[in-house]
Amino acid sequence: MKRYHFPLRALGVLRSHRELRAREAFATAVHAAAAAEENLAAARDRRARLAAALTASRAATFGAAEAAVSYRSYGGECEAEQAAARATFAAKAELQARREQYLAARRDLEAINRLEEKSRAAHRRELERHDQRELDEFARHRFLHSRAAVV
């Protein structure tokens, strides 16, 4: 009987490579989203510390020049926090897109793998049938030879 050959093997290899690239892109997106979250947390922390410092400075004597610089700095920190929030939102959207691409590639690969498993099982059944036919033929020949020897 012939050796097993899966006719869609080349497609399986291509889908495997596609799935690997999608998994790597997804992992990169996960790292980028985590870094964006950390940047957002750091920006929020800096803004909160600056807000606390501004509140504490109000208890002391008021200096207009110092207050103007402090409020300008606070405005910059608020803008940085908003930029970090936008970057985090974009990173999460990219993460979701990469997740969907990875899942689609995974489903495609699993479909080919299931087809290959079914094909292998069919080949195995055919091989077992072939072996059984050979054994039956061998048994039939032995039986006929033993009957011919008796007669």
Side-chain angles (χ1 to χ4, degrees), residues 84-96:
R86 285 191 298 272
T88 300
F89 181 76
K92 286 182 178 180
E94 180 69 17
L95 175 66
Q96 185 61 31

Side-chain angles (χ1 to χ4, degrees), residues 1-142:
M1 182 104 190
K2 293 191 314 183
R3 282 186 54 196
Y4 175 74
H5 173 71
F6 183 55
L8 298 177
R9 188 70 206 137
L11 181 62
V13 170
L14 289 174
R15 286 191 178 177
S16 176
H17 288 296
R18 179 176 170 238
E19 188 264 345
L20 179 64
R21 284 192 308 271
R23 185 177 347 140
E24 290 171 350
F26 176 61
T28 302
V30 167
H31 290 295
E37 286 283 339
E38 289 174 6
N39 289 341
L40 178 59
R44 284 181 176 160
D45 184 51
R46 283 192 311 270
R47 185 197 45 82
R49 281 188 282 127
L50 188 55
L54 284 174
T55 303
S57 71
R58 288 185 192 144
T61 58
F62 181 75
E66 289 178 16
V69 170
S70 296
Y71 282 115
R72 189 175 302 123
S73 177
Y74 181 75
E77 287 299 323
C78 288
E79 288 176 12
E81 181 184 0
Q82 289 174 353
R86 285 191 298 272
T88 300
F89 181 76
K92 286 182 178 180
E94 180 69 17
L95 175 66
Q96 185 61 31
R98 296 297 180 188
R99 177 182 289 127
E100 290 172 6
Q101 289 174 352
Y102 169 66
L103 291 175
R106 185 74 194 145
R107 274 191 306 271
D108 291 345
L109 178 61
E110 286 175 356
I112 288 293
N113 288 342
R114 281 192 304 272
L115 285 173
E116 185 173 10
E117 286 174 18
K118 287 180 182 179
S119 178
R120 280 187 188 278
H123 183 265
R124 201 170 329 154
R125 279 191 307 273
E126 186 58 36
L127 184 63
E128 289 168 358
R129 284 187 195 119
H130 182 266
D131 290 345
Q132 188 61 46
R133 280 193 300 267
E134 285 181 352
L135 287 173
D136 290 345
E137 186 67 25
F138 178 73
R140 189 176 73 79
H141 281 297
R142 283 197 62 162

